[in-house]
Amino acid sequence: MTSLNEKVAIVTGASAGIGRAAARLFAQHGARVVVTARRQAELDTLVGEIEANGGEAIALAGDVREDAHNQKLVAAAESRFGGLDIAFNNAGAVGPLVQIDALERSDWNDVIETNLSSAFSAARYQVPAMRRRGGGSLIFTSSFVGHETAGMPGMAAYAASKAGLVGLVKSLASDLGHEAIRVNALLPGGTDTRMATFENDEQRAFVEGMHALKRIARPEEIAQTALFLASDASSFTT
Ligand code: NAP
């Protein structure tokens, strides 16, 4: 079994969907986990579930757009669990699905802040902590949107943020490899979470049809890839 024994992880976007599934899976495989999102109650429920299954986790609610919160998460990993080995920077938001001339500057800024600038902020605090540990694994959730050759309608800000994330990840991977810090982007296909809401059956069928498996993923399936990237099983993957 893939082991995360002795490892400490931060998982963002853990109140729901992919992050929630990943936090549970990481804990199940032995990691001690700091979970975060804005909704405290959902995080408390998650921590309760992890503890009931014999795992260890703490919840720190907050906003990944804020430097102070990202700093606090790293401090919590170090003070409560002794260090930081893994960060699954997964929180994200789509923003309004509208044409460019209807997209408000404030909505553009919000999507870029949530999906891209948050990654920069998180890495600024996580990398020094991983250095203190002698290495680590940074994982960022990008998306097939912004990467596939065909664009998706109404998703300009989201696509730009997720494509930008891939650029950031490539740069960090080349900067940090010599320090045994691996950096990867996970690009899920459509995944059955609150984010993937469809207006009607036709729209759902269209998105399912874009995927080779002719369905969208369960969050637990995407979490398995995050587990691989977090663990030493992916020791040459960056
Ligand atoms: P989800 O169920 O809506 O989860 C999004 C998570 O991000 C929630 O836990 C949310 O928690 C958190 N979050 C959003 N804004 C935040 C903020 N400002 N500060 C802190 N936490 C914040 O959607 P999901 O599908 O699991 O999304 C996870 C990641 O996968 C995202 O990066 C998304 O872009 C990416 N992705 C999803 C799909 C898909 O089809 N679902 C496909 C490709 C990529 P709170 O609301 O409690 O803050």
Side-chain angles (χ1 to χ4, degrees), residues 93-122:
V94 173
L97 298 176
V98 294
Q99 296 292 302
I100 195 76
D101 53 336
L103 186 64
E104 297 294 338
R105 166 70 80 162
S106 56
D107 290 326
W108 167 272
N109 287 346
D110 188 53
V111 171
I112 299 293
E113 281 287 315
T114 304
N115 296 348
L116 181 57
S117 306
S118 68
F120 152 73
S121 170

Side-chain angles (χ1 to χ4, degrees), residues 13 15 18 38-39 63-64 90 141-143 158 162 188-189 191 193:
S15 61
I18 293 168
R38 289 162 301 183
R39 288 171 294 165
D63 195 319
V64 294
N90 161 79
T141 307
S142 178
S143 176
Y158 185 76
K162 293 297 188 179
T191 307
T193 67

Side-chain angles (χ1 to χ4, degrees), residues 12-20 36-40 42-43 62-65 69 88-94 110 114-115 141-145 158 162 165 186-196 198 216 219 222:
T12 79
S15 61
I18 293 168
R20 187 174 205 286
T36 191
R38 289 162 301 183
R39 288 171 294 165
Q40 181 79 55
E42 278 75 2
L43 296 177
D63 195 319
V64 294
R65 290 169 295 187
H69 181 60
F88 184 31
N89 295 302
N90 161 79
V94 173
D110 188 53
T114 304
N115 296 348
T141 307
S142 178
S143 176
F144 72 110
V145 176
Y158 185 76
K162 293 297 188 179
L165 203 45
L186 199 168
L187 281 68
T191 307
D192 200 1
T193 67
R194 183 185 60 166
M195 187 175 281
F198 299 106
I216 62 171
I222 305 300

